[in-house]
Amino acid sequence: MDKKIGFLNFGHWQPVQGSQVRTGADALLQTVELAEAAEELGVDGAYVRVHHFARQLSSPFPLLAAIGARTRRIEIGTGVIDMRYENPLYMAEEAAAADLISAGRLQLGVSRGSPETALRGSEAFGYVPGEGSDDAELARAKTGLFLSAISGTALVDADPRMHRGGTRLAVQPQSPGLRERIWWGSGTRSTAVWTAQQGMNLMSSTLLSEDTGVPFDELQAEQIALFRAAWDEAGWAHQPRVSVSRSVMPITTDEDRAYFGADRDSGDQVGLLGGVRSRFGKSYAGEPDELAEQLSKDMAVREADTLLLTIPNMLGVEYNARLLETITQHVAPAIGWVHPDQR
């Protein structure tokens, strides 16, 4: 199994002291610049988080298309798009366009989404669960329609004045292979099984909304094992991919130490999220050789084929490019990652 690494950018911007990302334009343009720098380093993926009504990245497809046009190899993706906010057919058109511009490099993570700053924000976008339904069912129904659309299913009747009677139409453009590059952001073991049954890749969440008392990486590894067993049982013809996210902060300078030295001994966090007992993974901070040893023992990192590195984007492109360079040279090889030129 080839190991891949990518960066995951939450795209924060704030006009505050020390921030290198002060405006929405900064967040967008610096993400493109970082993707270019990451590609030069051999990083496999450039992923963006999607949030609404917040000073974070929110509309991913123009950004992903821009990255795709400025790069040649690096995968472009999301982690994740909250499907409650989306028009599935318009999203299918945008996703196909971004995928075609990037020559088939789109890896699109979607999900029910995480808590947002807005109260019933998706309703402000015009999407309200039907009677007797809830947000989760709304997101899954929209995802089903989106998957049908990108698979080329004819979804609407043609106007008989322009086509022969009985003709049905699919959204355009279509991008071959995109259906196999859709991921579901899963926060429980049961949704991981559902993800496999739908034929989507697994994007294991940065938190799991369940807690069995075992360390986060072990619980996540169990989730991955259940996903793969369900995938085999479903009989899909292709092999799935699995990603996990980690905060990995190499400390090599006084600046690094000032920012992340306090995180060196952090462990799992357990708390209530929406009334559900949840477990959050630890942050990794330390000397590169320490991080290499710790990550090599992380059970979920070992089981996944893709590691997404959450980055402190407000520190700017130069800082994050140096962070990624340190990881590619001194940390990632310990988990089995090999530079693309040497694969």
Side-chain angles (χ1 to χ4, degrees), residues 36-237:
E36 292 179 287
E39 181 173 75
E40 289 297 313
L41 295 169
V43 173
D44 299 287
Y47 289 73
V48 297
R49 187 75 168 86
V50 181
H51 277 296
H52 301 283
F53 299 108
R55 291 182 176 183
Q56 293 180 246
L57 298 174
S58 59
S59 51
F61 291 107
L63 175 58
L64 296 175
I67 295 173
R70 291 270 291 268
T71 57
R72 57 178 177 78
R73 177 192 56 78
I74 198 168
E75 294 178 340
I76 56 176
T78 54
V80 292
I81 293 174
D82 187 335
M83 291 300 293
R84 294 175 298 172
Y85 286 79
E86 297 299 320
N87 177 316
L89 301 188
Y90 185 50
M91 179 177 166
E93 295 173 343
E94 290 188 306
D99 196 42
L100 291 168
I101 288 170
S102 66
R105 289 184 276 139
L106 186 61
Q107 301 287 341
L108 200 64
V110 303
S111 189
R112 148 68 174 76
S114 58
E116 294 278 355
T117 56
L119 179 64
R120 296 191 295 275
S122 57
E123 294 183 17
F125 273 48
Y127 303 117
V128 181
E131 186 175 351
S133 184
D134 59 18
D135 282 350
E137 291 174 352
L138 175 65
R140 291 189 182 198
K142 286 187 172 190
T143 301
L145 181 55
F146 169 72
L147 293 176
S148 293
I150 62 172
S151 299
T153 302
L155 297 170
V156 298
D157 293 328
D159 187 330
R161 294 170 297 180
M162 301 181 183
H163 294 269
R164 293 177 304 178
T167 300
R168 288 178 63 80
L169 304 175
V171 300
Q172 298 295 340
Q174 290 285 313
S175 186
L178 177 58
R179 173 62 177 83
E180 294 185 3
R181 288 179 274 114
I182 307 302
W183 307 57
W184 182 264
S186 170
T188 65
R189 290 166 295 176
S190 61
T191 55
V193 170
W194 177 85
T195 300
Q197 292 167 346
Q198 309 311 306
M200 290 185 283
N201 303 296
L202 177 65
M203 189 169 279
S204 186
S205 177
T206 51
L207 66 92
L208 297 177
S209 54
E210 55 187 352
D211 178 39
T212 63
V214 302
F216 179 82
D217 66 313
E218 293 183 24
L219 183 59
Q220 204 171 34
E222 181 183 344
Q223 181 196 41
I224 293 169
L226 290 169
F227 166 79
R228 289 202 169 115
W231 185 278
D232 291 342
E233 185 176 348
W236 298 105

Side-chain angles (χ1 to χ4, degrees), residues 3 288-289 291-297 301-302 327-337:
K3 286 282 189 182
D289 56 344
L291 298 181
E293 182 179 1
Q294 292 171 7
L295 279 173
S296 70
K297 296 177 180 177
V301 171
R302 282 159 47 183
I327 291 175
T328 57
Q329 291 183 356
H330 303 292
V331 180
I335 63 169
W337 180 80

